[in-house]
Amino acid sequence: MATQYEITGTNAKGIAASIEGGVAGGFLPPGSALPPVRVLAERLGVSPGTVAATYKELRGRGIVLTRGRGGTVVADAPAVASRRPPKVPDGLRDLAGGHPDQAFLPDALPSVRVVPGSRSHRAAPRLERLEVLTRAWYERDGVPADRVTFAHSALDCVARLLSVELRPGDAVAMEDPGYHHLLDLVPALGLRSVPVAVDDEGMRPEALRAAVRAGVRAVICSPRAQNPYGGCFSAERRDALAEVLAQAPDVLVIENDHAAEVAGAPLHSLTAGGGPARWAQVRTVTKYLGTDLRWAALACDATTLARHDGRLLLTSGWVSHALQEAVAGLLTDPAAQDLVRRARAAYALRREALLRELAAHGIAAHGAGGLNVWVPVRDEAAVVSGLRSSGWWVAAGARFRIASAPGVRITTAGLEPRDAVRLAADFAGTLGERQATYGG
């Protein structure tokens, strides 16, 4: 525990507030060890049961975790502290952010018609024109579109689904490695993450089976362009996963098809052809229409729709109609759609170029679809530091992992093939220096 921070309190509520304040203020950073129950109880003059209750409450809220004999420590992504990526140092090429190439995003939004006066958006929360476009978008890829609705973003949508379906302490099957914001969101809701290993075809069936047997109440997966690994469901993998889920009909299956139009791979969705009884597929447009367009579409079963929209009605009520108008305009604008087609081709070319160049140096990497490449390494910090000295800024894999092996994520969306040649050579040089210095 950080020596400059003193935990205070005379009851469980006060002690929990003191620890939470230390975490939120950065005085107890991730990984900080908290005192053993009896030690803290003696220090504060309270019973061991009071401290034990405090730690239990903080665990349930995703602020601390218990590592067996390792004691209680502050979580890697505590729910009271936002885990943002480190700032890109000046002069470095940013390949860590996961962002699309700005050259392929529309540089202006369509003009939006604003109707003066008051009206009930709660009574008609979705624009009919955008709802029609959304249904066609899903139906094109074989996803049932009888029931669709909107949200403010994929994370907003997933958070709402989990909060109405699950209770604190319930378990959620999560891709490992997986999208770091989702990995942070689950414990922030007081839920438990159960890691499910992934490969180039997405979630591995045997790992999902183990999670289902462990009693997960929900599964969150990416059918293509999985972030950060890049896996994409094949038809065979989809069928194998569906077979596992058929044994757990009460489990809610949430597909996050975040990069749909630029994934560079066809969709093999678990929702197609009489999929799970409880399901939802979320899509966004931030990767190919605009990073500030905080709009998400959701196709789902009837129960999930009712619960999602019921909670939405009680909170924000609806998604801005002006935003919906802008999205509908871009989805039907020929120039914007031409940019999407060009982006899809360019992202595939750039991703495949880096994979090819890394392979030429004997470096295994993964990226079947999407905007990123995942490279397994032994020492993330050493690789990030080595590439930094060569002018590259890549993402250490720690924030994407639960129990999986180390790696680094490289965003290839803006990496031209000629630049991939130099990056791969610098990567090989970094690994060589690492092995010469530390023996591997």
Side-chain angles (χ1 to χ4, degrees), residues 224-247:
R224 52 184 171 178
Q226 194 270 348
N227 185 3
Y229 206 91
C232 302
F233 288 174
S234 63
E236 294 76 15
R237 176 60 57 85
R238 184 266 318 277
D239 292 344
L241 295 173
E243 183 178 349
V244 172
L245 293 168
Q247 306 305 312

Side-chain angles (χ1 to χ4, degrees), residues 69-308:
R69 294 184 178 180
T72 300
V73 301
V74 177
D76 292 334
V80 296
S82 177
R83 179 170 61 168
R84 298 183 182 276
K87 183 179 179 181
V88 181
D90 293 338
L92 298 188
R93 179 77 176 275
D94 181 12
L95 303 179
H99 304 303
D101 187 340
Q102 292 292 320
F104 295 117
L105 298 179
D107 56 11
L109 294 177
S111 59
V112 175
R113 181 175 59 90
V114 178
V115 178
S118 61
R119 52 183 172 162
S120 176
H121 292 314
R122 291 180 186 271
R126 295 182 294 278
L127 291 181
E128 182 178 358
R129 181 165 73 112
L130 184 54
E131 190 168 345
V132 169
L133 290 169
T134 300
R135 292 183 190 278
W137 188 22
Y138 277 118
E139 290 169 351
R140 181 202 66 186
D141 292 329
V143 177
D146 295 336
R147 302 170 185 87
V148 299
T149 189
F150 304 153
H152 297 94
S153 68
L155 287 170
D156 169 68
C157 184
V158 172
R160 190 172 296 111
L161 292 174
L162 294 178
S163 66
V164 298
E165 295 285 346
L166 278 64
R167 296 294 177 265
D170 285 345
V172 181
M174 304 291 293
E175 296 167 327
D176 185 22
Y179 181 39
H180 60 99
H181 287 309
L182 281 173
L183 295 182
D184 291 350
L185 174 64
V186 167
L189 295 173
L191 307 173
R192 294 185 294 111
S193 297
V194 176
V196 177
V198 301
D199 59 22
D200 292 328
E201 295 183 67
M203 276 189 165
R204 295 168 57 177
E206 67 277 12
L208 179 59
R209 183 175 291 108
V212 169
R213 288 174 176 169
V216 298
R217 294 283 312 284
V219 175
I220 303 176
C221 60
S222 303
R224 52 184 171 178
Q226 194 270 348
N227 185 3
Y229 206 91
C232 302
F233 288 174
S234 63
E236 294 76 15
R237 176 60 57 85
R238 184 266 318 277
D239 292 344
L241 295 173
E243 183 178 349
V244 172
L245 293 168
Q247 306 305 312
D250 295 331
V251 170
L252 173 64
V253 178
I254 303 174
E255 285 189 342
N256 180 17
D257 193 22
H258 68 284
E261 298 304 285
V262 292
L267 177 67
H268 297 289
S269 173
L270 290 164
T271 70
R278 299 298 314 284
W279 64 275
Q281 193 192 89
V282 187
R283 292 186 174 184
T284 59
V285 297
T286 55
K287 297 298 184 185
Y288 41 90
L289 292 183
T291 53
D292 199 37
L293 288 175
R294 311 305 293 172
W295 174 86
L298 172 67
C300 55
D301 66 88
T303 300
T304 301
L305 178 73
R307 292 178 178 177
H308 174 277

